[in-house]
Amino acid sequence: MTVPRKSLWKRFKFWVGVWLGGVLIRLFFFLSRNEVVGKENYLNPLQEGRSVILALWHGQMLGPIYNLRDTGIYAMVGYHRDAEMIARVMKRLGYKLIRGSSRDRGNKAMEESIRVMEKPGKTLAITCDGPIGPYRKVKPGVGVIAQKTDAVVVPMATNGSRKKVITTSWDKFYLHLPFGRNRIVYGEPIYPEDFTGADKIREM
C-alpha cells in the first residue's frame, strides 16, 4: 500500500516539529537567566512521603516543563490536535504521560491518575484550566484527584522578560525567548483537606 505524498509530508513536518520543540525548549532556557522560587514547597511534601499534584496554567507550561525535565514525573496530556505534539515533546524531555482530558477520555485519565498518585512520592503535572478553558478557570479534576489520593497540590506559575504569545486561542500560550530573565514559582502547598478549588491556585 502506497502512502500518499501529502500524508508523508504531514508526518515529516510533525516529527520535525517534535524534535525542534524539544531542542528549542532546552536551548532558549539555557540561553536565559532562570530564577526558581519556592521549589522547597514541592520537594518537602515528597520528602514526607506525600504525592504531589503540580497545578499549572495551560498558557504557561513551558517554564515548568523545562524546570522538571528529565525527572520522570507524570503529566496529563489530552488528545486534541496540538496536544499530540506537546505529548511527544514532553516524552523526549523525560516525562511519563497519562493521556486524556475533560474533553476526551477523561474518565480513563482520571482513573489512571488516581492509581498512580495513590503510591507515595509520585508527582503529576496538570494544566488545571485545560484543554479548552476558560482562561485560568480551574477544572474540578485537580481537587478530585487530590482528595481521593491524599496528594498535596502545589500551584506553579512562570513569567519572562522576553516572551511571545504564539497562539490566538483562549490560553494565550507563550514562548520564552532566549537572552531574557525567566521566573518559575512554586506556590505554597495546598493540602487536600484545605483544598477549596480555584482561589489559591488563581493567585499564582
Side-chain angles (χ1 to χ4, degrees), residues 87-102:
R88 302 284 182 166
V89 169
M90 291 183 74
K91 201 165 183 181
R92 288 178 62 87
L93 293 172
Y95 287 82
K96 299 174 184 174
L97 303 181
I98 295 174
R99 303 300 304 271
S101 68
S102 58

Side-chain angles (χ1 to χ4, degrees), residues 49 55 164 187 189:
K164 181 177 178 58

Side-chain angles (χ1 to χ4, degrees), residues 79 87 94:
Y79 282 99

Side-chain angles (χ1 to χ4, degrees), residues 20-184:
L20 196 58
V23 168
L24 290 182
I25 288 173
R26 290 184 187 271
L27 182 63
F28 283 7
F29 279 92
F30 177 77
L31 294 173
S32 299
R33 295 181 63 181
N34 304 304
E35 178 188 10
V36 180
V37 179
K39 196 163 187 176
E40 67 277 4
N41 292 328
Y42 163 52
L43 297 177
N44 288 344
L46 289 178
Q47 290 169 358
E48 295 168 4
R50 303 289 292 263
S51 288
V52 176
I53 299 170
L54 295 172
L56 44 138
W57 301 122
H58 202 274
Q60 296 184 3
M61 68 172 73
L62 292 186
I65 285 174
Y66 175 78
N67 189 246
L68 293 159
R69 70 199 184 283
D70 303 324
T71 58
I73 70 169
Y74 288 84
M76 187 183 293
V77 185
Y79 282 99
H80 59 283
R81 185 183 62 185
D82 295 337
E84 189 59 40
M85 183 172 288
I86 292 168
R88 302 284 182 166
V89 169
M90 291 183 74
K91 201 165 183 181
R92 288 178 62 87
L93 293 172
Y95 287 82
K96 299 174 184 174
L97 303 181
I98 295 174
R99 303 300 304 271
S101 68
S102 58
R103 186 170 65 171
D104 189 2
R105 289 175 253 194
N107 289 338
K108 177 178 175 293
M110 181 71 72
E111 290 170 5
E112 188 176 351
S113 298
I114 291 170
R115 188 164 58 249
V116 166
M117 297 298 284
E118 283 175 335
K119 301 170 185 175
K122 299 296 182 182
T123 300
L124 173 65
I126 299 179
T127 52
C128 53
D129 57 346
I132 56 173
Y135 180 67
R136 293 200 177 185
K137 181 175 176 59
V138 179
K139 301 295 178 62
V142 175
V144 171
I145 297 170
Q147 289 165 353
K148 284 186 176 293
T149 64
D150 201 35
V152 179
V153 178
V154 175
M156 286 189 75
T158 185
N159 208 336
S161 63
R162 283 176 50 80
K163 61 188 180 183
K164 181 177 178 58
V165 176
I166 58 173
T167 178
T168 57
S169 64
W170 64 271
D171 63 351
K172 303 178 185 177
F173 185 92
Y174 63 76
L175 179 68
H176 294 260
L177 299 175
F179 312 114
R181 293 186 177 187
N182 301 313
R183 197 165 190 259
I184 301 164

